[in-house]
Amino acid sequence: MPSKGYNTQEYSKHPFLLSCEEIINHLQTDDETGLSPAKAQEAQRTYGPNKLVGERGVKWYSVLLKQVSNAMILVLVLAMALSYGVTDYIEGGVITAVIILNVVIGFCQEFQAEKKMDSLRALSSPSAAVLRDGHIETIPSGEVVPGDIVQVKTGDTIPADLRLIEAMNLECDEKILTGEAVPVAKDLEVDFSNNNEFETGIGDRLNMAYSSSTVTKGRGKGIVVFTGMYTEIGRIAASMQGKSRKPNRSLSRRKGGPMQPAKGVALRIWDGIGHFLGLTVGTPLQRKLSKLAYVLFGCALLLAIIVFGVNKFNVTNEVAIYAISTGIAIIPESLVAVLTITMVVGMTQMRKRRVVIRQLSALEALGGVTNICSDKTGTLTLGQMITRKVWLSGVGMYSVNGAEEAADPTKGSVSLGPAPELAKGEKEEKKPFDRDAPAVSWDVSSEKNAMTEKDPSMTSSSTDLTEIPEVTAELQAFLQSTALCNLAAVRFDKQKNEWQAIGDPTEIALQVFAHRFQHGKKTLQEHHDWTQLAEYPFDSSIKRMSVIYRKGETDSIHIFCKGAVERIVELCTTIGTGADQRTVTSEVQEEVLEQMNRLAQQGLRVMAIAQRQIKAYDGHAGLPREDVEKDLTLLGLAGLYDPPRLETKDAVRECATAGIKVHMLTGDHPSTAEAIAKEVGIIPTNPSALPHSVASSLVKAASEFDAMSEDEIDALPTLPLVIARCAPATKTRMIAALHRRRAFCAMTGDGVNDAPSLQAADVGIAMGLAGSDVAKGASDIVLTDDNFASIVNAIEEGRRMFDNIQKFILHLLTSNVAEVILLIVGLGFQDELSFSVFPLSPLQILWINMLTSSFPAFGLGREKASSDIMKRPPHKSKHGVFTGQVIVDMIVYGTIMGACTLLTFVIIIYGPGNGDLGHDCNRMYSESCNTVFRARAAVFAELTWLILVSAWEFKNLRRSMFSLDPERSAGHRFPFFKDIYENRFLFYAVVIGAVSVFPAVYIPGLNTKVFKHMGIGWEWALSLSSVVIFVAGVEAWKACKRRFGWFAVLGVEEGSERKLGLRQGFLSFSRAVSMRKSESDLERDVIGGEKL
């Protein structure tokens, strides 16, 4: 069924029966450039979003039920019932209005918040790599339209129904459609001309790939032919919307024995109750606050019993009303709403900083991260590689100079010089890339000149085309292997007058180098009759890739291979071509590894290129990989440079200042990894200054690390900061080692094999651009720009949210502590009939809790990060937001606040009032209640102002309100007004809340009948003076915490800089190594307490 307002998606025949050209013409697309942005937008309007009707979204009734079922509302419902029960209809009516208002406002806020979170989560849903305007773009699957050209690889989820136009070893898991567990191997050569749609089942349409199926092997490219409800999965969408139950919820005796039905029913009832009460759903913090709410609900009942007990369980109307007051006083009615909105704001801020939150729990966890395990390529570096060096045995070293654009083969120059002769163990000083042996004389062929005149793409507007060395037989063999064993595509866009590249950065760099000599893949295939027969894709466990090609119509079959040098060399029996070909001996292997080390020490990623010729190949039977990748001929080495991102070094330095260690886990050679790690500051430039035991632990190869037992890893003075040649299993072992050291770690990943490590990490971070859908599905957050600096931004935002949650929880609960103290002590204020007279009426408490406290709490949730937020160690995740400081502060500030209000009430009643508590002053106003009503008004105004001022005080839990952020306020003699005005929402919430006291006190009828207080005069002085006393008390407590170091974060002293022995990001030691220090002392400084 077509969605309302959108066109149908129809073809003359089913797309699997049509040729690629017919589909391209029908959809008006291009298989080389894809759709233009304008056409894509038009198709989006024509065909609608690529979504299924009825996909799970935000249910309004679930949000409404959640609002009705929280503990705060239940307390108010009991209070309302009691009010009506004692015939206090005004109070009951007001509480009813408050309940309705609270539910409506809470529902609107949370519903909008949930929708916002839903849209943000959608950004991390399965994505698609589409070809738009000649560039590969990663977009959400919902934005894919018919006519898009989509590239898929192992681990991807197919975004829509595709008619395949390329498939190399492509296999898809389609059991969601067919029920068959065996992946389907795709084949574009199958002839369906004699078939029809109804004779050929879904699993037999081998030139199609279906939406929601996953790629288990290989790669492919296809045209989107169906989206949304027109896909095969859309036709059975109803079956995709069922909800799975938790374990042990079955009612079948066959599955769980004779007691299973009873057990299943009990657990389902518990799930229902837990879901209704919010105890089993949401993030850990949300569940913890739900539990807190019900604990406070229990406390409210206990306080009511205390009230009844003091009155000897003579529960009259007056006693019941007092019990209502105490019950309402202990419940922070707006806590859940403030938390929800704060989380939405946090997610929105994360999105602006290029981080998408998939799991809300990650928001709470990010602030506690102590270690980051990051990949190198594309995360710490730009992921834009350039082939800088090429070493050919017996020929020399080719060097590329002046090339700054990764995709442009016309920029820069290529020179050929002799390869350096290094003695074994000799250290080669690192030199700039442009300092090489003198270039040889140039020999430009007439063919090249003719091509340049014919094709303007071979010239550059900014750089004259530089002559290149002659293509010798050795270089030609190398170029053929690099170009054909390659999935990247490089092309010149004549309309935009620019070079464009599509593919992996490593392969783009090699392809561009081949294009410099007119040996690009497309040229070799179209003009030199090279035909691909098979592909053995890159495997992270063996670190190599191979392809099989046929030359023309002959039986000349060639195997081309590239990969990690160590993995390729061990498969080679010869090196070089022609007269310079030699047998690979141990001495030759040493020579190759020596050249590799020289290149790697310059920070280059080194790849080995090899080939082999075989007599015949059976494309149907195929060859096992081990029979293909053997007896190879090593052609040469390629050194690729991937410059670090400009912001990486600063981000690593920021991590060091924040007490976070950065580990680089990369597939590169140890020397390459070490060089880049030094450049970005992960390890010091001079590790020899460290104790040997520490220096030897900084960089390790994965083979060495994996060979160690857990005890040996735990005995290391510090875990490796760099692990090279890293395999997916190595990442999992690293996480386990960090967990044994009580670390809270984040792990990045992009491949299918990274899913276990992403799930094992405390915070799994997937790459949004280069990551597979499997990796994204296993992660907690997704980086939309694959940038390491974005991880640091996310941690900063996580810390800000953690701090703000602590602030508003402290703010809300402090006022509740003060109200409970005031009312419990107030039980002693008894009138002539021995009924307790409350210092605050129930509606005054509601006003304070719902209006006075809520908006400043919202403001505290929007506080900016303090300037020192990344200058302190991570918080302890096991403590959560309820740290010792928060709990003690809540008691201290609540006691001061309660004592001030109690003192004001006592002064007014027992001073000018002579202790007259009137008659029935809890229910109505009379002349005898004049003093009580005036005292209540003074206490109400005072408590309101104290709560509002406390919001400013709680902007920082340790610094004075008059100097909240010295670094940010440098140059201001009295920064108080600047600091409090910085958060406009909080500022106006406090100011308006303070002014709102006057109409509440003076409006006739509202004051005496609703709030049960009246206008006051001289009593304002008591309220104002109490504010001064409260501020003085809070400032004194903060001064004591600073002076005596109470609750100070370990390693942080106010006004002093933390001193770390080994500081990442600074490329040197933070303090000189003293000869008087013993090695053990220095080791302790360097490790910083990491050792078990």
Side-chain angles (χ1 to χ4, degrees):
M1 293 288 292
S3 300
K4 186 176 181 180
Y6 298 118
N7 289 3
T8 58
Q9 300 174 23
E10 296 179 341
Y11 300 85
S12 58
K13 292 186 288 187
H14 194 283
F16 85 91
L17 299 171
L18 299 174
S19 67
C20 296
E21 291 74 17
E22 290 175 311
I23 295 174
I24 289 172
N25 292 333
H26 177 80
L27 295 172
Q28 298 180 350
T29 186
D30 188 301
D31 61 340
E32 287 194 353
T33 60
L35 296 175
S36 65
K39 283 188 175 180
Q41 291 179 5
E42 181 183 352
Q44 188 81 28
R45 291 191 296 268
T46 302
Y47 299 113
N50 179 30
K51 293 182 179 180
L52 301 180
V53 174
E55 282 187 333
R56 187 180 305 174
V58 183
K59 302 294 190 297
W60 65 268
Y61 49 82
S62 298
V63 178
L64 182 61
L65 188 64
K66 184 179 177 182
Q67 290 297 317
V68 173
S69 63
N70 72 69
M72 291 53 167
I73 295 297
L74 295 180
V75 171
L76 291 177
V77 169
L78 288 177
M80 177 188 70
L82 280 173
S83 298
Y84 286 131
V86 298
T87 66
D88 192 338
Y89 297 113
I90 293 178
E91 188 165 293
V94 172
I95 294 177
T96 302
V98 167
I99 292 172
I100 295 173
L101 188 64
N102 194 40
V103 169
V104 170
I105 293 176
F107 168 77
C108 293
Q109 289 174 333
E110 188 157 351
F111 186 63
Q112 292 297 323
E114 290 288 348
K115 287 176 66 177
K116 182 74 172 178
M117 285 190 282
D118 210 39
S119 64
L120 289 173
R121 287 192 196 99
L123 295 172
S124 66
S125 63
S127 55
V130 300
L131 187 61
R132 295 266 178 94
D133 211 18
H135 297 277
I136 288 293
E137 298 180 7
T138 302
I139 64 173
S141 295
E143 297 179 10
V144 169
V145 296
D148 265 326
I149 307 298
V150 176
Q151 290 187 350
V152 294
K153 61 183 183 302
T154 303
D156 284 353
T157 299
I158 305 296
D161 285 2
L162 307 179
R163 170 61 165 89
L164 296 171
I165 55 178
E166 286 183 15
M168 186 54 63
N169 297 335
L170 181 64
E171 293 185 6
C172 296
D173 181 357
E174 297 177 350
K175 63 176 176 286
I176 194 172
L177 292 169
T178 64
E180 296 294 331
V182 179
V184 178
K186 300 301 178 180
D187 187 355
L188 304 185
E189 303 301 325
V190 178
D191 184 9
F192 291 109
S193 58
N194 297 323
N195 297 57
N196 62 48
E197 179 180 352
F198 304 102
E199 290 177 350
T200 310
I202 293 174
D204 297 325
R205 300 170 185 175
L206 302 183
N207 58 9
M208 295 286 295
Y210 292 103
S211 175
S212 298
S213 62
T214 55
V215 180
T216 59
K217 182 182 177 182
R219 61 179 178 84
K221 183 165 72 171
I223 309 169
V224 175
V225 290
F226 292 122
T227 60
M229 295 302 290
Y230 288 94
T231 62
E232 291 295 334
I233 196 68
R235 298 181 183 184
I236 54 173
S239 64
M240 297 292 296
Q241 296 169 9
K243 295 177 66 176
S244 58
R245 291 192 179 277
K246 294 180 181 180
N248 298 321
R249 269 62 176 176
S250 173
L251 302 181
S252 173
R253 287 187 175 89
R254 287 181 298 176
K255 292 184 178 181
M259 296 300 296
Q260 184 59 38
K263 182 180 178 182
V265 169
L267 289 174
R268 289 186 185 188
I269 292 173
W270 167 247
D271 289 341
I273 295 173
H275 190 276
F276 180 79
L277 299 179
L279 299 175
T280 57
V281 293
T283 70
L285 179 59
Q286 288 173 326
R287 293 196 297 270
K288 188 177 292 186
L289 290 180
S290 293
K291 292 175 183 176
L292 171 66
Y294 288 104
V295 168
L296 294 177
F297 178 70
C299 292
L301 296 178
L302 180 61
L303 290 175
I305 293 172
I306 291 174
V307 171
F308 295 151
V310 170
N311 289 276
K312 300 177 182 179
F313 291 95
N314 180 21
V315 184
T316 61
N317 292 353
E318 290 78 5
V319 174
I321 293 172
Y322 203 101
I324 293 171
S325 299
T326 55
I328 293 174
I330 200 171
I331 300 294
E333 285 82 1
S334 57
L335 181 57
V336 174
V338 174
L339 177 65
T340 302
I341 292 174
T342 300
M343 284 189 163
V344 175
V345 172
M347 288 185 70
T348 305
Q349 291 299 319
M350 291 277 196
R351 179 68 186 92
K352 291 178 180 177
R353 305 186 81 170
R354 298 179 175 84
V355 177
V356 177
I357 302 297
R358 293 191 70 254
Q359 304 291 338
L360 271 178
S361 56
L363 282 173
E364 306 155 27
L366 278 168
V369 169
T370 60
N371 297 72
I372 302 174
C373 298
S374 174
D375 190 14
K376 177 183 76 71
T377 304
T379 305
L380 294 169
T381 61
L382 287 171
Q384 297 177 0
M385 295 188 180
I386 297 175
T387 302
R388 293 288 193 188
K389 303 280 186 180
V390 169
W391 173 78
L392 300 184
S393 176
V395 177
M397 185 77 73
Y398 289 88
S399 301
V400 178
N401 304 308
E404 300 299 333
E405 296 184 21
D408 192 345
T410 65
K411 296 292 180 65
S413 61
V414 183
S415 61
L416 172 63
E421 298 291 338
L422 295 179
K424 187 175 181 180
E426 181 183 352
K427 294 184 179 179
E428 175 72 9
E429 182 182 356
K430 182 178 177 181
K431 299 178 181 180
F433 294 115
D434 57 349
R435 295 181 184 178
D436 291 290
V440 301
S441 60
W442 306 110
D443 180 15
V444 183
S445 64
S446 58
E447 179 185 358
K448 170 65 184 295
N449 286 329
M451 289 181 65
T452 302
E453 294 174 4
K454 182 178 180 180
D455 187 355
S457 70
M458 297 310 299
T459 62
S460 172
S461 58
S462 59
T463 304
D464 292 332
L465 182 66
T466 307
E467 299 174 340
I468 61 172
E470 180 184 2
V471 178
T472 62
E474 294 85 355
L475 179 58
Q476 184 178 36
F478 179 88
L479 294 173
Q480 287 175 351
S481 189
T482 56
L484 295 176
C485 186
N486 199 309
L487 305 182
V490 177
R491 61 182 293 273
F492 183 78
D493 190 321
K494 295 182 179 180
Q495 292 182 346
K496 295 186 176 181
N497 195 35
E498 67 178 18
W499 283 90
Q500 297 176 342
I502 301 170
D504 179 80
T506 302
E507 299 194 321
I508 289 175
L510 295 172
Q511 194 68 253
V512 168
F513 184 77
H515 271 71
R516 292 181 184 276
F517 298 87
Q518 313 309 312
H519 277 64
K521 182 177 182 178
K522 190 173 182 180
T523 301
L524 294 176
Q525 288 178 330
E526 294 181 356
H527 301 293
H528 297 274
D529 295 329
W530 286 97
T531 304
Q532 185 170 354
L533 303 178
E535 176 184 313
Y536 297 83
F538 179 81
D539 188 329
S540 60
S541 61
I542 59 176
K543 299 190 181 303
R544 59 179 177 264
M545 169 194 177
S546 299
V547 293
I548 301 178
Y549 270 81
R550 173 185 286 116
K551 171 69 171 174
E553 298 300 327
T554 66
D555 293 331
S556 179
I557 307 297
H558 291 257
I559 296 171
F560 300 115
C561 184
K562 73 170 185 287
V565 179
E566 307 95 319
R567 301 299 181 93
I568 298 294
V569 169
E570 64 187 14
L571 303 175
C572 293
T573 56
T574 56
I575 180 173
T577 58
D580 293 324
Q581 190 173 81
R582 295 177 288 164
T583 301
V584 173
T585 62
S586 58
E587 290 77 12
V588 172
Q589 284 189 351
E590 286 295 324
E591 177 190 349
V592 173
L593 296 177
E594 192 173 283
Q595 294 293 343
M596 176 195 68
N597 287 328
R598 179 180 183 272
L599 295 174
Q601 286 166 4
Q602 299 178 41
L604 301 181
R605 183 177 189 178
V606 187
M607 305 284 291
I609 311 297
Q611 72 171 14
R612 171 191 171 202
Q613 189 169 356
I614 59 178
K615 294 181 179 180
Y617 172 74
D618 186 348
H620 295 286
L623 283 175
R625 188 162 194 157
E626 57 270 18
D627 291 340
V628 171
E629 297 171 339
K630 68 177 184 179
D631 300 331
L632 300 174
T633 298
L634 182 67
L635 300 176
L637 305 179
L640 316 179
Y641 183 61
D642 184 13
R645 294 178 183 267
L646 296 176
E647 60 270 28
T648 296
K649 185 176 176 181
D650 290 336
V652 173
R653 181 186 292 116
E654 194 171 4
C655 284
T657 308
I660 301 170
K661 284 193 174 182
V662 180
H663 305 259
M664 178 198 291
L665 278 63
T666 177
D668 282 343
H669 184 272
S671 297
T672 306
E674 184 175 356
I676 296 296
K678 288 179 179 178
E679 193 169 349
V680 300
I682 291 178
I683 59 176
T685 54
N686 184 22
S688 60
L690 291 168
H692 176 73
S693 59
V694 176
S696 61
S697 300
L698 295 181
V699 181
K700 286 191 178 296
S703 56
E704 182 184 359
F705 184 78
D706 291 338
M708 300 174 70
S709 66
E710 290 186 359
D711 292 337
E712 289 173 329
I713 293 175
D714 294 341
L716 292 174
T718 181
L719 287 176
L721 297 180
V722 176
I723 298 183
R725 295 296 190 223
C726 187
T730 311
K731 293 185 176 183
T732 307
R733 290 203 76 199
M734 184 65 172
I735 293 171
L738 287 166
H739 284 164
R740 291 196 298 274
R741 298 188 181 219
R742 306 292 186 269
F744 197 81
C745 58
M747 172 69 75
T748 67
D750 54 13
V752 178
N753 293 335
D754 290 329
S757 59
L758 291 174
Q759 290 180 326
D762 299 292
V763 179
I765 304 172
M767 303 294 109
L769 297 178
S772 66
D773 290 333
V774 173
K776 293 176 187 176
S779 67
D780 300 301
I781 68 176
V782 177
L783 304 183
T784 60
D785 61 353
D786 293 5
N787 192 337
F788 178 81
S790 297
I791 301 175
V792 182
N793 292 338
I795 291 175
E796 180 181 348
E797 186 63 25
R799 290 189 176 193
R800 184 194 72 85
M801 276 197 55
F802 182 87
D803 284 358
N804 290 351
I805 290 172
Q806 278 192 324
K807 292 171 187 176
F808 72 65
I809 285 177
L810 176 62
H811 176 260
L812 292 172
L813 294 183
T814 294
S815 61
N816 292 126
V817 170
E819 291 165 7
V820 169
I821 290 174
L822 181 61
L823 291 173
I824 292 299
V825 176
L827 286 171
F829 302 130
Q830 296 186 340
D831 59 16
E832 56 190 24
L833 299 177
S834 298
F835 288 124
S836 297
V837 176
F838 44 64
L840 280 176
S841 69
L843 296 184
Q844 283 179 318
I845 296 171
L846 274 179
W847 176 278
I848 290 171
N849 288 357
M850 293 294 297
L851 297 178
T852 303
S853 297
S854 297
F855 292 104
F858 288 135
L860 286 172
R862 298 164 64 95
E863 272 287 292
K864 292 181 180 179
S866 61
S867 58
D868 66 345
I869 198 164
M870 293 298 283
K871 297 180 181 178
R872 60 175 189 253
H875 62 258
K876 299 293 183 182
S877 298
K878 65 178 182 179
H879 294 153
V881 294
F882 293 100
T883 60
Q885 178 173 218
V886 170
I887 294 172
V888 174
D889 283 356
M890 178 182 67
I891 295 172
V892 170
Y893 299 148
T895 301
I896 296 173
M897 192 179 291
C900 287
T901 53
L902 187 63
L903 184 62
T904 296
F905 190 80
V906 169
I907 290 174
I908 296 173
I909 294 295
Y910 293 98
N914 296 318
D916 183 10
L917 292 170
H919 176 74
D920 200 17
C921 296
N922 286 352
R923 293 194 60 188
M924 63 184 70
Y925 174 76
S926 63
E927 287 297 327
S928 63
C929 296
N930 188 68
T931 303
V932 171
F933 272 50
R934 293 174 71 89
R936 280 187 192 145
V939 169
F940 170 75
E942 178 182 325
L943 186 58
T944 299
W945 289 343
L946 295 185
I947 291 171
L948 294 173
V949 169
S950 71
W952 283 342
E953 282 283 6
F954 298 161
K955 281 167 68 75
N956 192 295
L957 302 188
R958 299 187 66 80
R959 289 200 177 104
S960 169
M961 179 175 67
F962 303 103
S963 182
L964 289 169
D965 201 334
E967 292 185 28
R968 195 176 293 166
S969 303
H972 292 76
R973 296 184 62 184
F974 190 66
F976 171 73
F977 294 106
K978 175 186 176 298
D979 289 340
I980 64 170
Y981 191 65
E982 187 176 44
N983 186 338
R984 305 287 177 84
F985 187 96
L986 178 59
F987 177 81
Y988 287 113
V990 172
V991 171
I992 293 172
V995 173
S996 69
V997 166
F998 296 102
V1001 168
Y1002 286 111
I1003 293 178
L1006 178 67
N1007 53 7
T1008 55
K1009 292 184 179 180
V1010 176
F1011 290 118
K1012 295 183 173 60
H1013 62 215
M1014 62 183 298
I1016 56 176
W1018 64 271
E1019 292 88 351
W1020 288 111
L1022 290 176
S1023 300
L1024 288 170
S1025 60
S1026 294
V1027 173
V1028 176
I1029 295 171
F1030 175 75
V1031 170
V1034 173
E1035 291 293 328
W1037 175 248
K1038 285 184 177 181
C1040 288
K1041 289 197 293 184
R1042 294 194 300 270
R1043 174 66 179 82
F1044 300 108
W1046 296 340
F1047 309 111
V1049 180
L1050 189 62
V1052 176
E1053 299 291 338
E1054 279 83 7
S1056 68
E1057 186 177 318
R1058 287 189 303 122
K1059 295 181 179 180
L1060 300 176
L1062 175 61
R1063 300 193 68 186
Q1064 291 182 322
F1066 292 86
L1067 300 177
S1068 62
F1069 292 104
S1070 59
R1071 55 185 176 192
V1073 179
S1074 171
M1075 295 301 294
R1076 292 174 293 178
K1077 275 186 174 285
S1078 67
E1079 183 170 301
S1080 60
D1081 290 337
L1082 181 57
E1083 188 173 296
R1084 280 197 303 273
D1085 291 339
V1086 172
I1087 298 167
E1090 188 192 63
K1091 187 174 180 181
L1092 285 172

